[in-house]
Amino acid sequence: MKPVCVNVWETISSRSFDAVAPRDPAVDDVAPTAAILTGYDERHLVTYLRLLDADSDGADWREVAKMVLHIDPATDHDRARRAWETHLARARWMTEKGYRHLLYGGAPH
């Protein structure tokens, strides 16, 4: 049996990665909360990885919101905080449950 990370990568790489997960897509104010993988999740895989990486490095949420989510907390504090919190929560969900959906072909379309 192949490790999960290999299976996920094979699933993603079988499609054009840029088509599945653009490098810097615009984000919604609130991340999805569905119990299934969504098209939004697929398009934001890179965003989720960047959020998880910044979180593990202990980066300040304001810097992450501005650099990764492109929402300036100095001018839109509540929106930036909500977007950062919900997208980081969704990124964590992806590491716990969402990745399994990638193994079975991704989001239902």
Side-chain angles (χ1 to χ4, degrees):
M1 176 184 268
K2 292 181 183 178
V4 169
C5 61
V6 173
N7 288 333
V8 170
W9 179 248
E10 286 176 356
T11 300
I12 293 170
S13 64
S14 67
R15 300 177 264 173
S16 168
F17 189 74
D18 281 336
V20 173
R23 286 185 178 84
D24 204 14
V27 298
D28 291 346
D29 289 351
V30 177
T33 57
I36 62 168
L37 186 74
T38 67
Y40 184 91
D41 293 322
E42 286 186 335
R43 289 186 304 278
H44 289 82
L45 289 174
V46 173
T47 302
Y48 294 156
L49 292 172
R50 292 176 70 198
L51 288 168
L52 291 167
D53 189 43
D55 186 57
S56 72
D57 287 347
D60 183 89
W61 77 267
R62 292 174 282 275
E63 180 181 348
V64 177
K66 188 171 185 176
M67 300 297 293
V68 177
L69 304 177
H70 305 290
I71 303 172
D72 188 350
T75 59
D76 207 347
H77 182 274
D78 293 343
R79 178 175 166 247
R81 182 69 183 205
R82 183 175 47 254
W84 173 76
E85 286 175 347
T86 63
H87 281 82
L88 180 58
R90 190 62 172 187
R92 289 179 177 145
W93 175 84
M94 287 291 296
T95 67
E96 297 163 3
K97 298 184 192 276
Y99 75 90
R100 294 180 186 128
H101 298 277
L102 288 173
L103 295 175
Y104 297 105
H109 295 284

